[in-house]
Amino acid sequence: MTAADLAPPSARPSRAGRNYRLLTAAAIITGLGTNGALIAAAFAVLESGGDAGDVGLVAAARTAPLVLFLLIGGAVADRLPRHRVMVAANTLNCLSQSAFAWLVLAGEPRLWQMMVLTALCGTGQAFFNPAAEGMLMSTVSGEQASRAFALFRMSMQGAAIGGAALGGAMIAAMDPGWVLAIDAAAFAVAGGLRSFLDVSHIPSRAPGGGLLADLRDGWQEFVGRTWLWAVVAQFSVVVAAVGAAEAVYGPLVARDQLGGARPWGLALAAFGVGTLGGAVLMMRWKPRRLLLAGTLCVFPLALPSAGLAVPLPVTGLCAVMFVSGAAIEVFGVSWMTALHQEIPEEKLSRVSAYDWFGSVAMVPLATALAGPVESLVGRSQALWGCAALVVLVTGAVLFVPDVRNLTRRTAPAEVVAQGTPASADAEGAVGRLG
């Protein structure tokens, strides 16, 4: 980082854009609920008599429909009003989490029931994620986009801190079903807020050749950019390795060697604090080579797996989770800025869907195999393997010239509907969705 890379943020504007306020409020609410619910789901499986393999199967059941329906979700979000897709997805998540909570509170939930309900939740996310990403990126523009993304992510990760800590504390004190019920209520409130989003600034879509044509168009946009598919391929391995370590092995290490759910909740909260610090950094730092800076910050994602393999005491685990959280936030803001800069607005959700699809495609397999791999080689060796995979694929992607050389551009502000500069909305809103 050089002195030239440090750009002081402009003074906070006196008002925030309406869409940004709604997107931020909704993301904070769901962040509080979901981060606790992810811990609750794992411990609900364990408390019902499940083992590592069962935790992995439930985690895989959540991710499998995400992989299956993401591309369709992206095409739908570029054809229909994005806020309607988001509200429909939130409704499905609310209903599935409500049923999950009821089963857990009623006692003795069966494995297949938990898998079906988490699969419904994953289906909702498959349609929500591309719509949300496209909605966010169409809300901001111009020079303030990077700062806007960082500020939104800071708000969202602040909710993750509280959600993870509160979830761990609640599970230690009461039934995990209550945490799942809170998550269901959070989806209901967030869906209500998102129903008020204004999409009048988004240009009308020209009639297309159908869903398959839209998917092909998105694919051509995706494969035509080397930096895009290279980083997505990298993250297909990184996300799978980190997902297996944190969704399956993390709760087991916490239960067997750290004292239960509360220490793991604290570690996840430390990760959230780290992302908050990374977002603060990205409010000021504008690296010229966006993807080079971001990719270098993927290496620390190997630290939590290594910390669990040792395992480190709670304080040490919290420290490595903090570092990895700060690092991934640098990548996240850089990545979103690159997508916002390079991808046409009318294709944002489809490209986002291919991005999400590639990133999570291997997660169901990784989480489902986590238990058998643990039985075969041992938990510690499996975690060291996760750490090694992150380092190897991240080193490999740095050999791609476009990843090293993609530079930040400053584009003139676009004008949106009713003559309002989009950059003014971004600067006034100072935010982005996630």
Side-chain angles (χ1 to χ4, degrees):
M1 185 191 314
T2 66
D5 292 324
L6 288 172
S10 58
R12 197 182 192 286
S14 59
R15 66 173 187 86
R18 179 175 178 273
N19 272 3
Y20 177 67
R21 292 196 303 269
L22 290 170
L23 291 173
T24 302
I28 290 173
I29 291 168
T30 53
L32 285 169
T34 300
N35 282 277
L38 291 174
I39 308 172
F43 279 91
V45 175
L46 294 173
E47 291 182 10
S48 68
D51 57 14
D54 294 330
V55 173
L57 286 173
V58 172
R62 184 186 185 95
T63 313
L66 186 62
V67 174
L68 289 174
F69 296 114
L70 259 173
L71 299 183
I72 297 174
V76 168
D78 274 342
R79 295 176 69 88
L80 300 178
R82 289 174 178 143
H83 68 310
R84 293 183 183 174
V85 178
M86 295 164 71
V87 171
N90 285 166
T91 302
L92 178 59
N93 289 146
C94 174
L95 294 174
S96 61
Q97 289 295 75
S98 296
F100 196 173
W102 181 84
L103 284 174
V104 174
L105 291 171
E108 300 297 328
R110 297 181 180 180
L111 179 63
W112 71 266
Q113 294 171 324
M114 292 186 285
M115 291 179 66
V116 168
L117 291 170
T118 54
L120 288 174
C121 198
T123 301
Q125 289 303 112
F127 285 85
F128 176 84
N129 289 341
E133 192 112 339
M135 189 72 203
L136 168 71
M137 292 190 186
S138 69
T139 301
V140 303
S141 183
E143 194 173 350
Q144 289 295 322
S146 179
R147 183 179 178 230
F149 297 156
L151 276 170
F152 179 88
R153 292 174 67 97
M154 184 171 15
S155 301
M156 188 171 61
Q157 297 301 344
I161 299 169
L166 182 61
M170 289 183 67
I171 294 166
M174 62 184 70
D175 196 296
W178 290 112
V179 182
L180 295 168
I182 291 172
D183 188 37
F187 276 119
V189 175
L193 291 174
R194 287 166 175 143
S195 67
F196 292 104
L197 289 169
D198 179 12
V199 296
S200 61
H201 66 287
I202 300 176
S204 299
R205 310 298 184 207
L211 195 63
L212 290 178
D214 286 350
L215 289 172
R216 285 194 300 269
D217 194 30
W219 172 252
Q220 291 169 357
E221 191 76 30
F222 177 76
V223 298
R225 303 173 188 273
T226 306
W227 60 269
L228 180 57
W229 61 256
V231 173
V232 171
Q234 169 204 7
F235 266 77
S236 69
V237 177
V238 170
V239 174
V242 172
E246 297 188 5
V248 180
Y249 298 135
L252 293 171
V253 172
R255 182 193 65 180
D256 296 342
Q257 297 172 275
L258 299 178
R262 189 181 182 89
W264 184 234
L266 290 173
L268 293 177
F271 178 87
V273 175
T275 61
L276 199 62
V280 171
L281 171 63
M282 294 306 288
M283 287 279 294
R284 301 181 61 86
W285 185 33
K286 295 183 178 181
R288 190 174 67 88
R289 295 191 181 186
L290 286 167
L291 295 184
L292 177 61
T295 301
L296 289 173
C297 286
V298 178
F299 285 107
L301 291 188
L303 293 176
S305 297
L308 288 167
V310 173
L312 293 175
V314 176
T315 53
L317 186 59
C318 287
V320 298
M321 291 289 277
F322 174 87
V323 171
S324 64
I328 195 56
E329 197 66 14
V330 173
F331 171 82
V333 174
S334 299
W335 180 245
M336 292 202 68
T337 304
L339 291 177
H340 179 266
Q341 173 179 291
E342 300 293 329
I343 307 300
E345 189 280 332
E346 70 275 8
K347 300 180 182 179
L348 282 171
S349 289
R350 275 169 287 174
V351 170
S352 175
Y354 280 105
D355 175 16
W356 277 94
F357 177 82
S359 297
V360 303
M362 293 178 62
V363 173
L365 180 64
T367 52
L369 291 178
V373 170
E374 179 190 12
S375 299
L376 182 65
V377 303
R379 188 182 300 165
S380 180
Q381 287 76 11
L383 283 163
W384 282 118
C386 291
L389 283 173
V390 172
V391 172
L392 287 173
V393 297
T394 303
V397 83
L398 288 174
F399 285 96
V400 178
D402 286 351
V403 171
R404 299 194 307 271
N405 298 328
L406 183 68
T407 57
R408 179 187 302 271
R409 293 199 307 264
T410 301
E414 298 174 9
V415 177
V416 296
Q418 301 175 341
T420 303
S423 59
D425 183 61
E427 192 170 346
V430 209
R432 80 147 284 244
L433 169 76

PDB file of all heavy atoms in Angstrom, residues 176-204:
ATOM      1  N   PRO A 176     -31.928 -24.935  20.505  1.00  0.00           N
ATOM      2  CA  PRO A 176     -31.583 -24.314  19.213  1.00  0.00           C
ATOM      3  C   PRO A 176     -32.803 -23.910  18.394  1.00  0.00           C
ATOM      4  O   PRO A 176     -32.717 -23.036  17.529  1.00  0.00           O
ATOM      5  CB  PRO A 176     -30.780 -25.400  18.494  1.00  0.00           C
ATOM      6  CG  PRO A 176     -30.244 -26.265  19.579  1.00  0.00           C
ATOM      7  CD  PRO A 176     -31.270 -26.241  20.660  1.00  0.00           C
ATOM      8  N   GLY A 177     -33.954 -24.530  18.660  1.00  0.00           N
ATOM      9  CA  GLY A 177     -35.157 -24.198  17.912  1.00  0.00           C
ATOM     10  C   GLY A 177     -35.567 -22.748  18.044  1.00  0.00           C
ATOM     11  O   GLY A 177     -36.114 -22.160  17.102  1.00  0.00           O
ATOM     12  N   TRP A 178     -35.296 -22.137  19.198  1.00  0.00           N
ATOM     13  CA  TRP A 178     -35.647 -20.729  19.368  1.00  0.00           C
ATOM     14  C   TRP A 178     -34.807 -19.828  18.478  1.00  0.00           C
ATOM     15  O   TRP A 178     -35.285 -18.797  17.989  1.00  0.00           O
ATOM     16  CB  TRP A 178     -35.495 -20.324  20.834  1.00  0.00           C
ATOM     17  CG  TRP A 178     -36.537 -20.937  21.723  1.00  0.00           C
ATOM     18  CD1 TRP A 178     -36.357 -21.873  22.695  1.00  0.00           C
ATOM     19  CD2 TRP A 178     -37.940 -20.665  21.683  1.00  0.00           C
ATOM     20  NE1 TRP A 178     -37.552 -22.211  23.273  1.00  0.00           N
ATOM     21  CE2 TRP A 178     -38.552 -21.476  22.678  1.00  0.00           C
ATOM     22  CE3 TRP A 178     -38.751 -19.818  20.929  1.00  0.00           C
ATOM     23  CZ2 TRP A 178     -39.917 -21.461  22.923  1.00  0.00           C
ATOM     24  CZ3 TRP A 178     -40.122 -19.806  21.166  1.00  0.00           C
ATOM     25  CH2 TRP A 178     -40.683 -20.617  22.147  1.00  0.00           C
ATOM     26  N   VAL A 179     -33.555 -20.199  18.252  1.00  0.00           N
ATOM     27  CA  VAL A 179     -32.699 -19.412  17.357  1.00  0.00           C
ATOM     28  C   VAL A 179     -33.211 -19.523  15.925  1.00  0.00           C
ATOM     29  O   VAL A 179     -33.228 -18.541  15.168  1.00  0.00           O
ATOM     30  CB  VAL A 179     -31.239 -19.891  17.461  1.00  0.00           C
ATOM     31  CG1 VAL A 179     -30.332 -19.036  16.574  1.00  0.00           C
ATOM     32  CG2 VAL A 179     -30.762 -19.831  18.906  1.00  0.00           C
ATOM     33  N   LEU A 180     -33.669 -20.717  15.540  1.00  0.00           N
ATOM     34  CA  LEU A 180     -34.247 -20.896  14.209  1.00  0.00           C
ATOM     35  C   LEU A 180     -35.533 -20.096  14.055  1.00  0.00           C
ATOM     36  O   LEU A 180     -35.811 -19.542  12.983  1.00  0.00           O
ATOM     37  CB  LEU A 180     -34.510 -22.382  13.962  1.00  0.00           C
ATOM     38  CG  LEU A 180     -33.265 -23.274  13.901  1.00  0.00           C
ATOM     39  CD1 LEU A 180     -33.656 -24.740  13.947  1.00  0.00           C
ATOM     40  CD2 LEU A 180     -32.452 -22.979  12.644  1.00  0.00           C
ATOM     41  N   ALA A 181     -36.335 -20.003  15.116  1.00  0.00           N
ATOM     42  CA  ALA A 181     -37.569 -19.222  15.065  1.00  0.00           C
ATOM     43  C   ALA A 181     -37.270 -17.737  14.880  1.00  0.00           C
ATOM     44  O   ALA A 181     -37.978 -17.035  14.148  1.00  0.00           O
ATOM     45  CB  ALA A 181     -38.372 -19.450  16.344  1.00  0.00           C
ATOM     46  N   ILE A 182     -36.222 -17.256  15.535  1.00  0.00           N
ATOM     47  CA  ILE A 182     -35.828 -15.848  15.370  1.00  0.00           C
ATOM     48  C   ILE A 182     -35.409 -15.586  13.926  1.00  0.00           C
ATOM     49  O   ILE A 182     -35.730 -14.541  13.338  1.00  0.00           O
ATOM     50  CB  ILE A 182     -34.694 -15.501  16.351  1.00  0.00           C
ATOM     51  CG1 ILE A 182     -35.236 -15.493  17.793  1.00  0.00           C
ATOM     52  CG2 ILE A 182     -34.067 -14.154  16.011  1.00  0.00           C
ATOM     53  CD1 ILE A 182     -34.156 -15.346  18.843  1.00  0.00           C
ATOM     54  N   ASP A 183     -34.708 -16.540  13.328  1.00  0.00           N
ATOM     55  CA  ASP A 183     -34.292 -16.389  11.932  1.00  0.00           C
ATOM     56  C   ASP A 183     -35.503 -16.305  11.014  1.00  0.00           C
ATOM     57  O   ASP A 183     -35.538 -15.506  10.076  1.00  0.00           O
ATOM     58  CB  ASP A 183     -33.396 -17.563  11.539  1.00  0.00           C
ATOM     59  CG  ASP A 183     -32.760 -17.377  10.165  1.00  0.00           C
ATOM     60  OD1 ASP A 183     -32.410 -16.228   9.830  1.00  0.00           O
ATOM     61  OD2 ASP A 183     -32.622 -18.373   9.433  1.00  0.00           O
ATOM     62  N   ALA A 184     -36.521 -17.132  11.274  1.00  0.00           N
ATOM     63  CA  ALA A 184     -37.741 -17.085  10.467  1.00  0.00           C
ATOM     64  C   ALA A 184     -38.405 -15.706  10.564  1.00  0.00           C
ATOM     65  O   ALA A 184     -38.838 -15.136   9.554  1.00  0.00           O
ATOM     66  CB  ALA A 184     -38.709 -18.174  10.920  1.00  0.00           C
ATOM     67  N   ALA A 185     -38.470 -15.160  11.761  1.00  0.00           N
ATOM     68  CA  ALA A 185     -39.061 -13.831  11.942  1.00  0.00           C
ATOM     69  C   ALA A 185     -38.240 -12.763  11.222  1.00  0.00           C
ATOM     70  O   ALA A 185     -38.792 -11.811  10.639  1.00  0.00           O
ATOM     71  CB  ALA A 185     -39.160 -13.507  13.427  1.00  0.00           C
ATOM     72  N   ALA A 186     -36.918 -12.916  11.236  1.00  0.00           N
ATOM     73  CA  ALA A 186     -36.050 -11.948  10.557  1.00  0.00           C
ATOM     74  C   ALA A 186     -36.312 -11.942   9.054  1.00  0.00           C
ATOM     75  O   ALA A 186     -36.356 -10.882   8.418  1.00  0.00           O
ATOM     76  CB  ALA A 186     -34.582 -12.273  10.841  1.00  0.00           C
ATOM     77  N   PHE A 187     -36.508 -13.111   8.459  1.00  0.00           N
ATOM     78  CA  PHE A 187     -36.814 -13.180   7.029  1.00  0.00           C
ATOM     79  C   PHE A 187     -38.144 -12.490   6.724  1.00  0.00           C
ATOM     80  O   PHE A 187     -38.282 -11.830   5.684  1.00  0.00           O
ATOM     81  CB  PHE A 187     -36.856 -14.637   6.554  1.00  0.00           C
ATOM     82  CG  PHE A 187     -35.506 -15.205   6.221  1.00  0.00           C
ATOM     83  CD1 PHE A 187     -35.018 -16.296   6.919  1.00  0.00           C
ATOM     84  CD2 PHE A 187     -34.734 -14.664   5.212  1.00  0.00           C
ATOM     85  CE1 PHE A 187     -33.765 -16.835   6.617  1.00  0.00           C
ATOM     86  CE2 PHE A 187     -33.487 -15.186   4.895  1.00  0.00           C
ATOM     87  CZ  PHE A 187     -32.998 -16.280   5.605  1.00  0.00           C
ATOM     88  N   ALA A 188     -39.123 -12.637   7.613  1.00  0.00           N
ATOM     89  CA  ALA A 188     -40.426 -12.001   7.390  1.00  0.00           C
ATOM     90  C   ALA A 188     -40.295 -10.479   7.391  1.00  0.00           C
ATOM     91  O   ALA A 188     -40.834  -9.788   6.512  1.00  0.00           O
ATOM     92  CB  ALA A 188     -41.413 -12.457   8.464  1.00  0.00           C
ATOM     93  N   VAL A 189     -39.573  -9.939   8.367  1.00  0.00           N
ATOM     94  CA  VAL A 189     -39.402  -8.488   8.456  1.00  0.00           C
ATOM     95  C   VAL A 189     -38.594  -7.964   7.261  1.00  0.00           C
ATOM     96  O   VAL A 189     -38.944  -6.948   6.647  1.00  0.00           O
ATOM     97  CB  VAL A 189     -38.721  -8.107   9.779  1.00  0.00           C
ATOM     98  CG1 VAL A 189     -38.418  -6.612   9.823  1.00  0.00           C
ATOM     99  CG2 VAL A 189     -39.610  -8.504  10.962  1.00  0.00           C
ATOM    100  N   ALA A 190     -37.500  -8.669   6.916  1.00  0.00           N
ATOM    101  CA  ALA A 190     -36.656  -8.222   5.806  1.00  0.00           C
ATOM    102  C   ALA A 190     -37.414  -8.259   4.484  1.00  0.00           C
ATOM    103  O   ALA A 190     -37.275  -7.350   3.652  1.00  0.00           O
ATOM    104  CB  ALA A 190     -35.407  -9.096   5.723  1.00  0.00           C
ATOM    105  N   GLY A 191     -38.231  -9.291   4.277  1.00  0.00           N
ATOM    106  CA  GLY A 191     -39.029  -9.357   3.052  1.00  0.00           C
ATOM    107  C   GLY A 191     -39.994  -8.193   2.951  1.00  0.00           C
ATOM    108  O   GLY A 191     -40.209  -7.637   1.869  1.00  0.00           O
ATOM    109  N   GLY A 192     -40.590  -7.790   4.093  1.00  0.00           N
ATOM    110  CA  GLY A 192     -41.476  -6.636   4.090  1.00  0.00           C
ATOM    111  C   GLY A 192     -40.757  -5.365   3.692  1.00  0.00           C
ATOM    112  O   GLY A 192     -41.281  -4.556   2.909  1.00  0.00           O
ATOM    113  N   LEU A 193     -39.548  -5.163   4.209  1.00  0.00           N
ATOM    114  CA  LEU A 193     -38.773  -3.975   3.849  1.00  0.00           C
ATOM    115  C   LEU A 193     -38.417  -3.973   2.365  1.00  0.00           C
ATOM    116  O   LEU A 193     -38.507  -2.945   1.687  1.00  0.00           O
ATOM    117  CB  LEU A 193     -37.505  -3.907   4.691  1.00  0.00           C
ATOM    118  CG  LEU A 193     -37.676  -3.612   6.190  1.00  0.00           C
ATOM    119  CD1 LEU A 193     -36.346  -3.730   6.917  1.00  0.00           C
ATOM    120  CD2 LEU A 193     -38.262  -2.212   6.388  1.00  0.00           C
ATOM    121  N   ARG A 194     -38.004  -5.116   1.851  1.00  0.00           N
ATOM    122  CA  ARG A 194     -37.578  -5.183   0.450  1.00  0.00           C
ATOM    123  C   ARG A 194     -38.737  -4.993  -0.519  1.00  0.00           C
ATOM    124  O   ARG A 194     -38.517  -4.657  -1.694  1.00  0.00           O
ATOM    125  CB  ARG A 194     -36.869  -6.520   0.204  1.00  0.00           C
ATOM    126  CG  ARG A 194     -35.486  -6.564   0.839  1.00  0.00           C
ATOM    127  CD  ARG A 194     -34.903  -7.954   0.902  1.00  0.00           C
ATOM    128  NE  ARG A 194     -33.525  -7.891   1.423  1.00  0.00           N
ATOM    129  CZ  ARG A 194     -32.982  -8.793   2.238  1.00  0.00           C
ATOM    130  NH1 ARG A 194     -33.689  -9.846   2.624  1.00  0.00           N
ATOM    131  NH2 ARG A 194     -31.743  -8.658   2.658  1.00  0.00           N
ATOM    132  N   SER A 195     -39.959  -5.192  -0.071  1.00  0.00           N
ATOM    133  CA  SER A 195     -41.109  -4.976  -0.949  1.00  0.00           C
ATOM    134  C   SER A 195     -41.284  -3.505  -1.304  1.00  0.00           C
ATOM    135  O   SER A 195     -41.995  -3.173  -2.254  1.00  0.00           O
ATOM    136  CB  SER A 195     -42.383  -5.508  -0.287  1.00  0.00           C
ATOM    137  OG  SER A 195     -42.720  -4.737   0.852  1.00  0.00           O
ATOM    138  N   PHE A 196     -40.639  -2.598  -0.557  1.00  0.00           N
ATOM    139  CA  PHE A 196     -40.754  -1.161  -0.807  1.00  0.00           C
ATOM    140  C   PHE A 196     -39.615  -0.615  -1.668  1.00  0.00           C
ATOM    141  O   PHE A 196     -39.532   0.596  -1.870  1.00  0.00           O
ATOM    142  CB  PHE A 196     -40.795  -0.397   0.521  1.00  0.00           C
ATOM    143  CG  PHE A 196     -42.047  -0.640   1.312  1.00  0.00           C
ATOM    144  CD1 PHE A 196     -42.027  -1.477   2.417  1.00  0.00           C
ATOM    145  CD2 PHE A 196     -43.239  -0.049   0.938  1.00  0.00           C
ATOM    146  CE1 PHE A 196     -43.180  -1.709   3.151  1.00  0.00           C
ATOM    147  CE2 PHE A 196     -44.405  -0.271   1.666  1.00  0.00           C
ATOM    148  CZ  PHE A 196     -44.376  -1.108   2.771  1.00  0.00           C
ATOM    149  N   LEU A 197     -38.744  -1.469  -2.180  1.00  0.00           N
ATOM    150  CA  LEU A 197     -37.645  -0.997  -3.030  1.00  0.00           C
ATOM    151  C   LEU A 197     -38.186  -0.370  -4.315  1.00  0.00           C
ATOM    152  O   LEU A 197     -39.163  -0.848  -4.893  1.00  0.00           O
ATOM    153  CB  LEU A 197     -36.699  -2.153  -3.368  1.00  0.00           C
ATOM    154  CG  LEU A 197     -35.840  -2.675  -2.212  1.00  0.00           C
ATOM    155  CD1 LEU A 197     -35.159  -3.989  -2.602  1.00  0.00           C
ATOM    156  CD2 LEU A 197     -34.792  -1.646  -1.798  1.00  0.00           C
ATOM    157  N   ASP A 198     -37.528   0.681  -4.766  1.00  0.00           N
ATOM    158  CA  ASP A 198     -37.926   1.410  -5.983  1.00  0.00           C
ATOM    159  C   ASP A 198     -37.033   0.955  -7.136  1.00  0.00           C
ATOM    160  O   ASP A 198     -35.811   1.116  -7.080  1.00  0.00           O
ATOM    161  CB  ASP A 198     -37.779   2.909  -5.744  1.00  0.00           C
ATOM    162  CG  ASP A 198     -38.148   3.731  -6.971  1.00  0.00           C
ATOM    163  OD1 ASP A 198     -38.724   3.158  -7.922  1.00  0.00           O
ATOM    164  OD2 ASP A 198     -37.848   4.933  -6.979  1.00  0.00           O
ATOM    165  N   VAL A 199     -37.641   0.399  -8.186  1.00  0.00           N
ATOM    166  CA  VAL A 199     -36.861  -0.082  -9.332  1.00  0.00           C
ATOM    167  C   VAL A 199     -37.089   0.791 -10.569  1.00  0.00           C
ATOM    168  O   VAL A 199     -36.751   0.386 -11.679  1.00  0.00           O
ATOM    169  CB  VAL A 199     -37.206  -1.557  -9.646  1.00  0.00           C
ATOM    170  CG1 VAL A 199     -36.795  -2.462  -8.496  1.00  0.00           C
ATOM    171  CG2 VAL A 199     -38.708  -1.715  -9.923  1.00  0.00           C
ATOM    172  N   SER A 200     -37.631   1.977 -10.379  1.00  0.00           N
ATOM    173  CA  SER A 200     -37.940   2.833 -11.524  1.00  0.00           C
ATOM    174  C   SER A 200     -36.683   3.316 -12.248  1.00  0.00           C
ATOM    175  O   SER A 200     -36.743   3.692 -13.414  1.00  0.00           O
ATOM    176  CB  SER A 200     -38.770   4.037 -11.075  1.00  0.00           C
ATOM    177  OG  SER A 200     -38.055   4.834 -10.136  1.00  0.00           O
ATOM    178  N   HIS A 201     -35.526   3.303 -11.537  1.00  0.00           N
ATOM    179  CA  HIS A 201     -34.293   3.787 -12.173  1.00  0.00           C
ATOM    180  C   HIS A 201     -33.660   2.733 -13.071  1.00  0.00           C
ATOM    181  O   HIS A 201     -32.719   3.027 -13.806  1.00  0.00           O
ATOM    182  CB  HIS A 201     -33.287   4.188 -11.098  1.00  0.00           C
ATOM    183  CG  HIS A 201     -32.798   3.037 -10.262  1.00  0.00           C
ATOM    184  ND1 HIS A 201     -33.585   2.433  -9.312  1.00  0.00           N
ATOM    185  CD2 HIS A 201     -31.607   2.376 -10.255  1.00  0.00           C
ATOM    186  CE1 HIS A 201     -32.898   1.458  -8.739  1.00  0.00           C
ATOM    187  NE2 HIS A 201     -31.700   1.403  -9.294  1.00  0.00           N
ATOM    188  N   ILE A 202     -34.155   1.501 -13.031  1.00  0.00           N
ATOM    189  CA  ILE A 202     -33.584   0.426 -13.827  1.00  0.00           C
ATOM    190  C   ILE A 202     -34.248   0.425 -15.199  1.00  0.00           C
ATOM    191  O   ILE A 202     -35.479   0.364 -15.292  1.00  0.00           O
ATOM    192  CB  ILE A 202     -33.765  -0.936 -13.136  1.00  0.00           C
ATOM    193  CG1 ILE A 202     -33.055  -0.916 -11.773  1.00  0.00           C
ATOM    194  CG2 ILE A 202     -33.232  -2.068 -14.001  1.00  0.00           C
ATOM    195  CD1 ILE A 202     -33.256  -2.177 -10.961  1.00  0.00           C
ATOM    196  N   PRO A 203     -33.484   0.492 -16.281  1.00  0.00           N
ATOM    197  CA  PRO A 203     -34.082   0.515 -17.619  1.00  0.00           C
ATOM    198  C   PRO A 203     -34.932  -0.721 -17.872  1.00  0.00           C
ATOM    199  O   PRO A 203     -34.640  -1.808 -17.377  1.00  0.00           O
ATOM    200  CB  PRO A 203     -32.862   0.550 -18.555  1.00  0.00           C
ATOM    201  CG  PRO A 203     -31.736   1.038 -17.697  1.00  0.00           C
ATOM    202  CD  PRO A 203     -32.012   0.557 -16.321  1.00  0.00           C
ATOM    203  N   SER A 204     -36.001  -0.539 -18.650  1.00  0.00           N
ATOM    204  CA  SER A 204     -36.859  -1.667 -19.009  1.00  0.00           C
ATOM    205  C   SER A 204     -36.068  -2.670 -19.837  1.00  0.00           C
ATOM    206  O   SER A 204     -35.249  -2.293 -20.684  1.00  0.00           O
ATOM    207  CB  SER A 204     -38.074  -1.178 -19.799  1.00  0.00           C
ATOM    208  OG  SER A 204     -38.834  -0.278 -19.021  1.00  0.00           O
TER     209      SER A 204
END
